[in-house]
Each structure stands twice: as structure tokens, then as C-alpha cells.
């Protein structure tokens, strides 16, 4: 979700927007100065969109300072000329600047006119927003979304199922789980989690009483997440993962199932595995918490900011390299057909 900062365009920028869309300008660079969106640079067209992109964009990017760039296409729609909106947020810029530009992005798009923006491009390195990077972005937009390993396995299961009836109330024998009730203390804490009064909730099973209990809850950052995960017992975890993606600030609820291998008893492993799906359904359907990702880990060190980000926003492979069949050994002669005697 996006959060607004209250930063708006200056009067000079608003006036410039009113007269800048007649085709006389190719590029508009905008920065945040003194809590206002200000015009930094504007450039007239010299050649085609492709030619001007190569010559104009990269020289205007600063290594440690974010900015916004509007680049005009040669094409038009019913509102006028179409534009490419580039959000530049370099890796070496300050965290405060990154967050400020990410949270102001939606305001700028609205003030400029969202209907005139044909494409958006976000970059943290120059190769992301170079003309080559722009072409890769367009190819990725046209490619089908990749499936995770879990999604591919689920798709294969569905293709091979015969007369299977799976819904929220009835599941096939292979998908059945065990639904333990939630303790009152846990339900109250989950409401706080839903309202973002805490960022982390750890859940545990009472194997004797057959109840899901609250283990702990707190407000922590992603750097502290791994230290909360026990290495000698299974647990469920709910965590608000705060990050930026393609220029937008987001807060994504993540469900994590941690199982430290064979350090747990067979009964514990089986019950945690069986209770997981009904618990996830309850969290999403009855509590109304739309989980962005469900993860399983056996090592707390897997819970890094980079790994969680990649799980929520998997990288798109523009093209898969074809499998190259290895050559057989040289000098072995022609293949022989061997007949088996009956």
C-alpha cells in the first residue's frame, strides 16, 4: 500500500505541467526540494524517442540522489502525448530519501495526469533505466508471469486429479488438515496484528490440549526476525514485511512455518504440518488478513530481507535458455540395436 507524504508540486511546477504537454518538451526531471516537488531540468526533443532516450536520460541521473523523470513518447492517445515515467532511487542514496520519493510517487503521477503515462520504469542502478534496461522491461511486461516451484507442483496435482472436489469446506484426503481452535489470547493478539499495532506474532501448538496458543508478539524489524525463531521447536510466525517495490512503499503480511528438521518429535512434525493449512485459511478468511506470501524454513538464517523480498516479488525470467543435450563420447561408432531373446 502507498502512503502519502503531504508533499505537493510547487506553483511553478503546476504551471509548467499545464503548458508542457503540447509536444514541445521531450524530457522533464523533477526533484523534491524544501518539501516541494520542483522542476529540475526540461529538455526539448532532438530526435526520435529512442535516440533522445539514449542521449538524455543517463546524464541526468545522480549517483546518490533519487529523482523522477518524464520522457515523452512520439505516440499519442485521446488525452494527448504519451509519457514514460521513470523513478530513480539509487542504492547509495539515503534511506530517508528513498522512502520520501517512494511515498510521493503516487502524488506526482496524479498531478501530472495518470492517463497520459503509458509505461513506468523503476531503477536502483543505471542498467535498470538505460535504454537496454527499458527494452528488457517492455519484454518482461509481455512475458507470462513465472510460477514458483510450489505453484508448479500444485498445477501438476490439479492436472492429474480425477473427480477431486476441493473447496474451503471439503478437501480430498491428500489435502485434509487438522483444525485446532485458537486461544482467546491469540485471537486478541491477531486483531492487534491486523490493525498493525504489532509487527510480529509467534504461534505455537499445545500438543496435549490441541489448541493454537500465543508464544510471543512484538514490534520488530526484518533484521531481528531470525533471532525470534527457535532452533529446537516448530512454530508459526506472522510478520509485517515493510519494504519498497518499484518505487512504492509496501507493508506485506507474511506467514512463516519454521520446522528445525529432526530436532522435533514425529508427533510435533506431523501436527504442525497438518494444522498449517486450516490455520492459514482461518487467518485469511475469518480474520481478513490477506497473506502476501506463505514460507517454510528449517533455518532461521533464511529469513533475510533479500530472501523475503524475492519470495514476494520473484524475478521475471524474460527467456529461458533451451536445454543443451550433451554430446556422447567420441569414436564410439554407430548405435547398435540389441534384440532381447524371449
Amino acid at each position: 500500500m502507498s502512503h502519502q507524504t503531504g508533499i505537493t508540486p510547487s506553483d511553478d511546477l503546476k504551471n509548467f505541467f499545464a503548458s508542457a504537454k503540447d509536444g514541445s518538451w521531450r524530457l522533464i526531471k523533477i526533484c523534491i526540494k524544501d518539501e516541494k516537488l520542483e522542476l529540475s531540468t526540461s529538455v526539448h526533443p532532438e530526435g526520435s524517442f529512442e535516440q533522445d532516450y539514449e542521449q538524455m536520460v543517463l546524464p541526468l541521473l545522480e549517483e546518490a540522489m533519487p529523482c523522477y523523470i518524464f520522457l515523452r513518447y512520439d505516440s499519442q492517445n485521446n488525452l494527448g502525448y504519451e509519457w514514460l515515467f521513470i523513478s530513480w532511487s539509487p542504492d547509495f542514496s539515503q534511506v530517508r530519501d528513498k522512502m520520501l520519493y517512494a511515498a510521493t510517487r503516487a502524488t506526482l503521477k496524479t498531478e501530472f495526469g495518470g492517463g497520459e503515462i503509458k509505461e513506468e520504469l523503476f531503477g536502483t542502478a543505471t542498467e535498470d533505466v538505460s535504454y537496454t534496461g527499458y527494452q528488457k522491461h517492455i519484454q518482461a511486461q509481455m512475458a507470462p508471469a513465472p510460477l514458483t516451484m510450489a505453484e508448479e507442483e500444485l498445477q501438476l496435482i490439479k492436472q492429474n486429479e480425477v473427480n477431486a472436489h476441493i473447496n474451503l469446506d471439503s478437501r480430498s484426503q491428500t489435502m485434509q488438515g487438522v483444525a485446532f481452535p485458537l486461544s482467546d489470547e491469540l485471537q486478541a493478539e491477531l486483531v492487534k496484528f491486523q490493525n498493525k499495532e504489532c509487527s510480529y506474532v509467534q504461534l505455537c501448538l499445545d500438543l496435549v490440549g490441541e489448541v493454537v496458543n500465543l508464544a510471543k508478539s512484538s514490534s520488530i524489524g526484518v533484521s531481528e526476525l531470525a533471532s525470534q525463531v527457535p532452533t529446537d521447536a516448530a512454530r508459526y510466525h506472522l510478520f509485517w514485511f515493510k519494504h519498497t517495490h518499484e518505487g512504492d512503499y509496501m507493508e506485506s503480511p507474511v506467514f512463516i512455518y519454521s520446522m528445525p528438521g529432526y530436532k522435533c518429535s514425529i508427533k510435533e512434525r506431523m501436527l504442525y504440518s497438518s494444522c498449517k493449512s486450516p490455520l492459514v485459511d482461518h487467518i485469511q478468511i475469518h480474520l481478513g488478513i490477506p497473506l502476501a506470501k506463505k514460507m517454510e524454513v528449517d533455518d532461521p538464517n533464511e529469513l533475510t530481507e533479500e530472501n523475503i523480498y524475492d519470495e514476494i516479488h520473484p524475478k521475471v525470467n524474460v527467456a529461458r535458455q533451451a536445454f543443451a543435450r550433451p554430446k556422447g563420447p567420441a569414436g564410439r561408432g554407430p548405435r547398435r540395436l540389441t534384440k532381447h531373446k524371449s
Side-chain angles (χ1 to χ4, degrees):
M1 78 186 54
S2 298
H3 297 271
Q4 302 303 307
T5 58
I7 295 176
T8 57
S10 65
D11 292 338
D12 290 341
L13 182 58
K14 289 181 179 179
N15 294 333
F16 181 79
F17 279 167
S19 60
K21 303 176 185 179
D22 59 357
S24 59
W25 299 98
R26 172 68 76 188
L27 181 146
I28 303 170
K29 178 183 176 181
I30 297 169
C31 298
I32 297 177
K33 296 180 180 178
D34 300 326
E35 304 298 320
K36 285 287 184 181
L37 287 163
E38 297 282 0
L39 175 65
S40 174
T41 306
S42 56
V43 184
H44 292 289
E46 297 178 0
S48 65
F49 169 82
E50 294 79 9
Q51 293 169 337
D52 288 347
Y53 193 120
E54 289 275 7
Q55 298 175 6
M56 296 179 180
V57 173
L58 293 186
L60 293 178
L61 302 180
E62 297 180 49
E63 184 177 335
M65 178 57 64
C67 70
Y68 309 107
I69 291 179
F70 289 98
L71 192 67
R72 180 178 61 77
Y73 287 94
D74 295 324
S75 58
Q76 300 185 48
N77 59 24
N78 58 343
L79 298 176
Y81 281 97
E82 296 176 311
W83 294 77
L84 168 66
F85 180 41
I86 302 174
S87 296
W88 170 243
S89 183
D91 289 328
F92 297 107
S93 56
Q94 296 182 3
V95 174
R96 180 185 180 278
D97 290 334
K98 291 181 181 180
M99 304 297 285
L100 190 64
Y101 274 78
T104 310
R105 185 167 169 262
T107 298
L108 178 58
K109 287 169 55 181
T110 301
E111 292 288 341
F112 183 84
E116 296 164 80
I117 298 174
K118 181 180 179 181
E119 292 288 345
E120 297 182 41
L121 185 61
F122 174 79
T124 59
T126 53
E127 54 265 27
D128 297 334
V129 294
S130 65
Y131 186 67
T132 301
Y134 165 75
Q135 290 176 312
K136 290 180 179 179
H137 167 76
I138 296 300
Q139 292 175 359
Q141 293 286 91
M142 299 172 63
L147 297 178
T148 63
M149 291 181 64
E151 289 170 337
E152 289 179 350
E153 290 175 2
L154 181 59
Q155 187 180 65
L156 184 61
I157 291 172
K158 290 181 177 180
Q159 290 173 351
N160 289 282
E161 280 174 346
V162 179
N163 297 326
H165 302 283
I166 300 175
N167 52 44
L168 295 177
D169 301 315
S170 63
R171 298 173 181 264
S172 68
Q173 291 296 318
T174 58
M175 299 290 285
Q176 194 169 10
V178 178
F180 283 2
L182 277 61
S183 68
D184 293 340
E185 182 186 19
L186 174 59
Q187 294 194 61
E189 203 64 28
L190 290 177
V191 172
K192 292 183 180 180
F193 178 82
Q194 182 183 25
N195 295 330
K196 300 183 181 178
E197 296 175 26
C198 62
S199 64
Y200 172 75
V201 177
Q202 185 180 122
L203 304 82
C204 62
L205 296 183
D206 182 344
L207 304 183
V208 178
E210 298 186 346
V211 176
V212 187
N213 286 325
L214 172 68
K216 64 169 72 173
S217 67
S218 59
S219 294
I220 60 173
V222 66
S223 61
E224 303 166 81
L225 180 59
S227 64
Q228 304 295 317
V229 180
T231 57
D232 58 352
R235 289 291 187 271
Y236 304 121
H237 315 263
L238 284 169
F239 178 67
W240 281 107
F241 179 57
K242 302 176 182 180
H243 62 289
T244 58
H245 174 61
E246 295 185 350
D248 286 332
Y249 175 72
M250 306 181 74
E251 297 181 357
S252 304
V254 179
F255 178 89
I256 302 165
Y257 166 41
S258 62
M259 171 59 70
Y262 291 94
K263 296 180 180 179
C264 303
S265 66
I266 295 176
K267 180 180 180 180
E268 184 175 358
R269 293 202 303 269
M270 291 182 63
L271 282 177
Y272 268 87
S273 177
S274 299
C275 289
K276 183 187 65 173
S277 292
L279 177 60
V280 167
D281 287 346
H282 183 84
I283 291 171
Q284 295 192 115
I285 298 169
H286 297 288
L287 298 180
I289 302 175
L291 299 173
K293 188 65 183 179
K294 297 177 283 292
M295 300 176 60
E296 296 187 17
V297 298
D298 56 9
D299 184 354
N301 294 323
E302 296 176 43
L303 297 175
T304 64
E305 181 175 6
E306 181 180 1
N307 288 345
I308 299 175
Y309 180 93
D310 288 342
E311 287 286 337
I312 298 176
H313 308 290
K315 294 181 174 64
V316 176
N317 292 325
V318 176
R320 293 185 178 180
Q321 184 177 0
F323 174 71
R325 183 176 181 179
K327 296 181 179 180
R332 64 178 179 178
R335 294 182 61 185
R336 299 178 181 179
L337 296 177
T338 303
K339 294 183 179 180
H340 294 279
K341 296 181 180 181
S342 59

